[in-house]
Structures are given as C-alpha cells and as structure tokens.
Amino acid sequence: MNDNHDPTLIARLEDALLRLPRIQRDIFLAIRLDALSYGEIAERTGLTKWQVERLFAKALGNFSRNLRDPLRQRWRRWFR
C-alpha cells in the first residue's frame, strides 16, 4: 500500500487549526469540510453574512501564519 500522507505535515496542519480561536476554527471547518455557504453559517450562528466572511478571512490569515510559524505564541492574539 502506498501511503502518501506525511505525518509531520498532518500534525502541523492539525496544530495550526487548533491554534485558531474557536469561532474562526468552526467557521473555517464549516466552509472547508462541510461546504456550507456564508449565508448558511450566518443563519445557523446568528452572525451576519458579513461577519462570517470577515471571520473566515481572519481564519485563513491566522491559519497560514500558524502553519509558517509553528512556534508562534498563542498569547500574542490577546495583545493586538
């Protein structure tokens, strides 16, 4: 069996995802894994469609930063 999964990459992806704030993580997963639209998420969460779009954009940026810098400290987000 040919296993093309890199356990190191999978661990880095999981870590980057878990370091997102919960609401960003939930929206990111709803869009990427569940294929929900911004409108569907807004309806389910009580947020506006604009808020969902904004949180997803922030999630993408944070996810990318977390992936590039696995040692990025979590406490930094509290001091922005």
Side-chain angles (χ1 to χ4, degrees), residues 26-36 38 41 56 60:
D26 290 347
I27 289 172
F28 181 88
L29 293 173
I31 291 169
R32 292 297 188 203
L33 294 182
D34 298 331
L36 296 178
Y38 296 145
I41 296 168
F56 181 61
L60 287 174

Side-chain angles (χ1 to χ4, degrees), residues 15-72:
D15 180 62
L17 186 63
L18 290 174
R19 289 174 26 200
L20 291 176
R22 183 181 178 133
I23 187 73
Q24 290 180 23
R25 182 174 56 245
D26 290 347
I27 289 172
F28 181 88
L29 293 173
I31 291 169
R32 292 297 188 203
L33 294 182
D34 298 331
L36 296 178
S37 69
Y38 296 145
E40 291 170 316
I41 296 168
E43 198 173 289
R44 291 179 183 196
T45 62
L47 299 170
T48 66
K49 187 176 171 184
W50 182 86
Q51 288 172 314
V52 172
E53 291 173 2
R54 179 92 171 137
L55 286 166
F56 181 61
K58 284 184 173 187
L60 287 174
N62 285 333
F63 183 76
S64 178
R65 266 191 304 281
N66 289 344
L67 207 53
R68 278 194 317 270
D69 184 7
L71 299 177
R72 181 173 174 242

Side-chain angles (χ1 to χ4, degrees), residues 69-80:
D69 184 7
L71 299 177
R72 181 173 174 242
Q73 295 176 357
R74 296 175 195 211
W75 57 267
R76 287 184 188 172
R77 70 178 174 198
W78 294 318
F79 295 105
R80 289 186 192 169

